[in-house]
Amino acid sequence: MNYLSINLRGIRDSKKADWVRGLKTSHGAHFVAIQETKVPGNITFLVNRLWGRSLFEFDAVESTGRSGGLLTIWDPSIFVKSGVVKNRNFLAVFGNMTSSGDLIAVVNVYAQNDPGDRRILWADLIQLKNTFSGMWVFLGDFNDVRWQEERLNSEFVALNAQHFNQFIAEADLVEYQMGGRQYTYRVG
């Protein structure tokens, strides 16, 4: 299953919708996770523009005013949803992969800028992970880096990296090395 995660800082712009749809199509994404939708209320009318003409299902966490908001869209022929957990800072979708029946949880994360709030989020995500056995995929905007080399044009705070690395270890996650130019992606 291919994933696309992107922080759009607002999704109303039709150029952004076209760009996301193009990325989804060109990379064969089955799951699209968008952070910072900045749209309060019902966003159904925007999802079709982002996904295209093929079948899709989605779930969302509304923004608070013009702040935050999460949207996760997926191909129902690849993934069948059985449950969801919503929080201001994450949207966890649980289900089965249609090809194998394997249980999987896909978590769209948007971490706040405040380090204390992020530490609370890391604890909440570990607690959530302990409630569901199966495969887990965490993607999104974590607003943290693991190593100093990853921080470009901003201040590196070793304590924040330590807490983020501790979260990754406690959640038993594996970070895939990814690369790109205007975005980061992993094909395959």
Side-chain angles (χ1 to χ4, degrees):
M1 190 162 17
N2 288 334
Y3 302 89
L4 170 65
S5 176
I6 190 162
N7 183 323
L8 284 183
R9 294 181 179 88
I11 62 171
R12 289 188 187 267
D13 183 347
S14 63
K15 289 179 184 176
K16 286 183 182 180
D18 292 343
W19 180 61
V20 170
R21 191 174 57 253
L23 289 173
K24 177 240 174 216
T25 302
S26 66
H27 293 288
H30 304 108
F31 248 90
V32 175
I34 298 172
Q35 303 84 44
E36 285 196 275
T37 61
K38 296 188 176 187
V39 178
N42 190 339
I43 61 171
T44 303
F45 68 98
L46 294 169
V47 178
N48 196 38
R49 288 188 356 204
L50 294 162
W51 189 262
R53 293 186 177 151
S54 60
L55 290 176
F56 65 86
E57 292 182 6
F58 74 96
D59 221 316
V61 173
E62 291 184 18
S63 66
T64 304
R66 293 188 40 80
S67 176
L70 296 164
L71 173 63
T72 302
I73 316 166
W74 63 89
D75 180 340
S77 70
I78 303 292
F79 173 83
V80 177
K81 178 178 101 170
S82 61
V84 65
V85 175
K86 296 180 181 186
N87 176 291
R88 182 172 191 256
N89 296 106
F90 67 83
L91 172 59
V93 183
F94 302 89
N96 299 81
M97 295 174 59
T98 57
S99 62
S100 63
D102 290 337
L103 297 172
I104 186 168
V106 181
V107 186
N108 183 357
V109 177
Y110 178 63
Q112 295 177 323
N113 289 325
D114 181 75
D117 290 341
R118 285 197 305 271
R119 284 193 288 279
I120 292 168
L121 176 60
W122 304 154
D124 290 346
L125 290 172
I126 289 170
Q127 184 177 7
L128 177 68
K129 187 172 182 289
N130 291 334
T131 67
F132 180 83
S133 60
M135 294 182 287
W136 283 82
V137 175
F138 286 85
L139 39 81
D141 184 347
F142 295 88
N143 262 322
D144 247 333
V145 295
R146 300 187 70 192
W147 319 111
Q148 185 168 0
E149 305 79 47
E150 296 174 331
R151 180 65 73 190
L152 303 173
N153 302 321
S154 61
E155 179 185 6
F156 174 77
V157 179
L159 184 60
N160 294 343
Q162 179 184 344
H163 288 293
F164 189 45
N165 284 319
Q166 183 178 348
F167 157 68
I168 291 169
E170 285 182 35
D172 198 27
L173 299 176
V174 175
E175 180 181 18
Y176 288 97
Q177 292 300 322
M178 299 181 282
R181 290 181 182 244
Q182 297 175 352
Y183 51 88
T184 304
Y185 69 97
R186 177 176 183 259
V187 178

